[in-house]
Amino acid sequence: MTVDLDTVRRIARLARIAVSDEELPHLRGELNAILSFVEQLNEVDVSGVEPMTSVTPMTMKKRRDVVTDGGYPELIVKNAPATEDNFFLVPKVVE
Amino acid sequence: MNDLTHLTLAEARDGLKAKRFSATELAKAHIAAIEQARVLNAYVLETPEKALGMAAVADAKIMAGEARPLEGIPLGVKDLFCTKGTVTTACSNILKGFEPPYESTVTEQLWRDGAVMLGKLNNDEFAMGSSNETSAFGPVVNPWRRRGSNVHAAQEGAIEGAHLVPGGSSGGSAAAVAARLCLGATATDTGGSIRQPAAFTGTVGIKPTYGRCSRWGIVAFASSLDQAGPIARTVRDCAILLRSMAGPDPKDTTCADLPVPDYEAAVSRGVKGLRIGIPKEYRLDGMPAEIERLWSEGAAWLKSAGAEIVEVSLPHTKYALPAYYIVAPAEASSNLARYDGVRYGLRVPGRDIIEQYEKTRAAGFGREVKRRVMIGTYVLSAGYYDAYYVRAQKIRTLIKRDFEAVYAQGVDAILTPATPSAAFEIGEKGSADPVEMYLNDIFTVTVNMAGLPGIAVPAGLDSQGLPLALQLIGRPFDEETLFAAGQIIEEAAGRMVLPEPWWAK
């Protein structure tokens, strides 16, 4: 399977990565090289095989549903590019 | 007393305990070596003050007779591990200046046991690469040079000649250990990122079983494959480090609730009576004769130490790498969705929030990372999910079954080459076709897909004088057998004679 330029543009949009029109053909070539490499997986008969969900058999650890951490909002926002009163600042999303 | 950097970790530990030198002297010797080696670009951040502070505490502990297991041992930390109050970037521009307010469990345990932090080590951006060329801090120089190579230290702290890559993604860790800029280093391995750079630099690296070390506080790449482990100069040194790094952690639900064995005790256990498998599918067409020879030699060493060598079959081996290039990018695209310019890292403003996301990620991610995020986005998108992602996860089940069948025959460990070649030149691979670079992990990636432990041990030099390594693959949670068998290879091959510091001016 190969992807065309429109598909590359759509993938970039879904991935939330701005891609210029000049970059598209090169990216398309690289993505197609990877897709043609993985094509060989179609040779394998996978009928009746369960997809892997956990590489080592283990039961999910559980703990009591109680607060064990927190109470330091200033540390949470410390690395944010823009904050106000311990809130993250983003451009307006609701009119 | 610069010879202190030539000690193994075990020798340094014993010397400190016997008070032949102090932790402060040991730290100072390494700080001086690091200053002389900046041209290698192994460290992206040096923390000499932190190192001296920790060394002073270590000296006090030793004087008080309260030395902990790694008291005063100077280590380097891959920049993928969050270190509290010390900048951690995963070598990506999108995390420039990120100062974690918490410490990764693995590094926390190293400090708990008395180790000393020298600084943060270079790696491929978000651990995506096999040559350390994708780092936002630039490539790392392999301390090894080809015999007769023109690579040398020039004036003004530059290197002339086409130098070799140290492998990746833990290229800084491997180069720093090989250049004696630390006694050991933390590393991570998603498809071969501990074992391949260890092989390229004549050092020892172990990727433990998935779940042996906590992933908490390690910048995530592909969560079902990522695992932390050490790189050091001997098998014993790796065993010592892994004991401190491993263990249960309530903060990581995928971290196994299993006690950590005394790995160092396993080092001298020998291989008498063990059954070692040689998988025929690893004999690739066009494999260099030197690697083929090294592999047979390794089997002969283990045999003469009392192991039984048997041929085994892992029929789905060739599908591991293509399946990996679906699973790993899929998980990466999901994990890296968090870099949105809101909570940390880079922000590039846009007209609206969507444009802000798009511009931030376009500016912050490097080419390889963008490529993988996009492939991952594609294979997870509506209409392609079953054809790509689900199929790859089914093939992963088959790969794991191959190993289970071999272990059910009574095989204790599997011997393979670690890499298909020795270290290559910077810029030599992957510029036209990304798959060319991906093929580096052909022998290591199966191990991650099956969640097994694997160790790379240097086993000889190629005709150009560059190190080559063998890989041993173990049963789940049986790292001990790998240390025991690895030690046999190390003894038979003879300890690697590491390069002299030609880079120091």
Side-chain angles (χ1 to χ4, degrees):
Chain A
M1 206 173 308
T2 56
V3 290
D4 56 20
L5 289 181
D6 274 344
T7 309
V8 178
R9 203 175 282 122
R10 190 175 62 86
I11 301 168
R13 180 84 181 158
L14 282 173
R16 298 283 186 256
I17 297 173
V19 173
S20 69
D21 282 347
E22 299 83 76
E23 293 172 277
L24 283 175
H26 185 73
L27 254 175
R28 174 177 175 243
E30 289 179 337
L31 297 184
N32 281 334
I34 299 169
L35 291 174
S36 92
F37 175 61
V38 304
E39 198 114 298
Q40 52 184 305
L41 296 179
N42 293 326
E43 298 164 16
V44 185
D45 179 9
V46 293
S47 48
V49 178
E50 282 293 308
M52 181 178 281
T53 49
S54 170
V55 73
T56 41
M58 54 167 73
T59 42
M60 176 74 89
K61 273 188 273 193
K62 297 176 195 73
R63 65 166 177 84
R64 282 183 177 284
D65 186 14
V66 290
V67 176
T68 58
D69 200 3
Y72 37 77
E74 61 294 338
L75 282 183
I76 305 294
V77 300
K78 193 178 90 148
N79 282 285
T83 61
E84 201 177 294
D85 300 331
N86 288 338
F87 286 97
F88 298 112
L89 278 188
V90 293
K92 199 169 187 173
V93 284
V94 183
E95 287 302 329
Chain B
M1 209 183 147
N2 209 29
D3 280 344
L4 290 179
T5 62
H6 286 242
L7 299 171
T8 66
L9 192 154
E11 288 164 354
R13 175 191 61 184
D14 299 345
L16 284 167
K17 208 169 282 174
K19 303 192 179 73
R20 284 199 289 276
F21 47 85
S22 69
T24 302
E25 287 170 317
L26 188 60
K28 280 184 174 163
H30 283 92
I31 291 166
I34 292 168
E35 282 172 7
Q36 291 281 302
R38 288 196 179 126
V39 73
L40 298 180
N41 205 24
Y43 280 86
V44 295
L45 181 71
E46 298 169 18
T47 57
E49 280 154 29
K50 191 163 204 111
L52 292 174
M54 292 169 100
V57 173
D59 279 329
K61 288 268 188 192
I62 293 165
M63 290 314 280
E66 293 167 359
R68 298 163 290 178
L70 293 174
E71 200 67 70
I73 298 296
L75 303 177
V77 174
K78 186 178 183 179
D79 205 28
L80 221 61
F81 291 80
C82 286
T83 42
K84 190 174 180 174
T86 299
V87 171
T88 302
T89 69
C91 295
S92 177
N93 283 324
I94 212 159
L95 270 178
K96 208 178 214 167
F98 176 65
E99 221 176 77
Y102 48 82
E103 186 81 25
S104 83
T105 297
V106 164
T107 49
E108 180 75 56
Q109 292 179 174
L110 291 170
W111 317 142
R112 171 202 70 196
D113 285 353
V116 166
M117 179 163 89
L118 291 166
K120 302 300 287 284
L121 294 163
N122 209 336
N123 51 253
D124 279 294
E125 184 180 3
F126 285 109
M128 296 181 194
S130 304
S131 64
N132 217 110
E133 289 168 287
T134 73
S135 166
F137 292 97
V140 174
V141 176
N142 191 332
W144 289 81
R145 296 178 291 181
R146 286 182 181 136
R147 207 171 276 139
S149 137
N150 64 352
V151 176
H152 63 282
Q155 296 304 316
E156 299 108 37
I159 281 183
E160 277 176 4
H163 70 77
L164 302 174
V165 303
S169 67
S170 310
S173 303
V177 171
R180 305 182 188 89
L181 310 180
C182 55
L183 292 176
T186 69
T188 61
D189 190 315
T190 305
S193 284
I194 289 175
R195 293 158 288 157
Q196 184 254 19
F200 277 15
T201 56
T203 56
V204 182
I206 182 166
K207 182 203 92 75
T209 313
Y210 183 81
R212 183 55 101 178
C213 291
S214 168
R215 291 182 297 108
W216 197 83
I218 300 172
V219 177
F221 161 15
S223 302
S224 78
L225 301 159
D226 296 345
Q227 188 54 202
I231 293 179
R233 292 200 283 270
T234 68
V235 170
R236 179 177 298 274
D237 290 358
C238 275
I240 295 168
L241 284 172
L242 185 59
R243 193 180 188 189
S244 290
M245 293 167 74
D249 179 11
K251 288 190 279 199
D252 175 2
T253 54
T254 62
C255 186
D257 274 329
L258 290 172
V260 181
D262 181 354
Y263 292 127
E264 195 179 359
V267 169
S268 50
R269 210 160 67 175
V271 293
K272 201 170 264 302
L274 291 189
R275 194 178 274 186
I276 307 287
I278 308 289
K280 59 177 188 217
E281 291 80 6
Y282 279 61
R283 200 156 275 124
L284 300 180
D285 290 339
M287 185 153 90
E290 311 180 290
I291 295 197
E292 181 96 47
R293 194 164 54 238
L294 192 79
W295 193 12
S296 318
E297 216 162 40
W301 292 333
L302 292 167
K303 193 173 177 197
S304 60
E308 181 195 349
I309 306 296
V310 291
E311 189 180 86
V312 297
S313 175
L314 298 165
H316 295 91
T317 297
K318 70 175 276 210
Y319 301 109
L321 196 62
Y324 173 87
Y325 273 96
I326 290 174
V327 174
E331 294 186 15
S333 76
S334 163
N335 272 325
L336 271 58
R338 73 190 67 182
Y339 303 104
D340 56 5
V342 174
R343 288 158 296 165
Y344 30 67
L346 184 77
R347 168 181 284 194
V348 179
R351 276 187 322 250
D352 52 21
I353 194 156
I354 301 283
E355 198 185 86
Q356 178 179 298
Y357 294 153
E358 291 181 341
K359 285 186 162 179
T360 296
R361 291 161 64 81
F365 290 148
R367 289 163 50 98
E368 181 65 27
V369 172
K370 285 184 201 171
R371 195 148 61 208
R372 295 204 198 184
V373 167
M374 288 181 67
I375 278 286
T377 304
Y378 180 65
V379 301
L380 290 176
S381 64
Y384 299 99
Y385 180 80
D386 287 330
Y388 285 111
Y389 187 71
V390 175
R391 172 169 283 265
Q393 290 289 39
K394 286 180 178 173
I395 287 165
R396 208 172 159 190
T397 299
L398 294 173
I399 292 164
K400 179 143 191 273
R401 275 189 203 162
D402 285 353
F403 281 104
E404 283 167 351
V406 165
Y407 291 135
Q409 293 160 30
V411 167
D412 297 285
I414 295 165
L415 181 73
T416 78
T419 55
S421 75
F424 45 88
E425 277 181 21
I426 182 143
E428 187 180 323
K429 284 194 182 178
S431 50
D433 179 358
V435 175
E436 188 188 18
M437 183 68 83
Y438 298 171
L439 291 171
N440 259 288
D441 291 333
I442 195 141
F443 297 137
T444 48
V445 78
T446 49
V447 176
N448 302 75
M449 293 298 269
L452 301 170
I455 192 170
V457 183
L461 300 179
D462 74 356
S463 59
Q464 300 177 305
L466 298 179
L468 294 170
L470 291 170
Q471 172 180 237
L472 285 151
I473 305 168
R475 293 162 173 264
F477 298 105
D478 185 16
E479 289 83 5
E480 289 168 280
T481 296
L482 300 187
F483 288 125
Q487 179 69 14
I488 299 294
I489 290 173
E490 185 176 284
E491 282 169 14
R495 177 94 62 75
M496 273 283 142
V497 180
L498 294 168
E500 287 308 311
W502 52 266
W503 52 84
K505 283 307 255 186

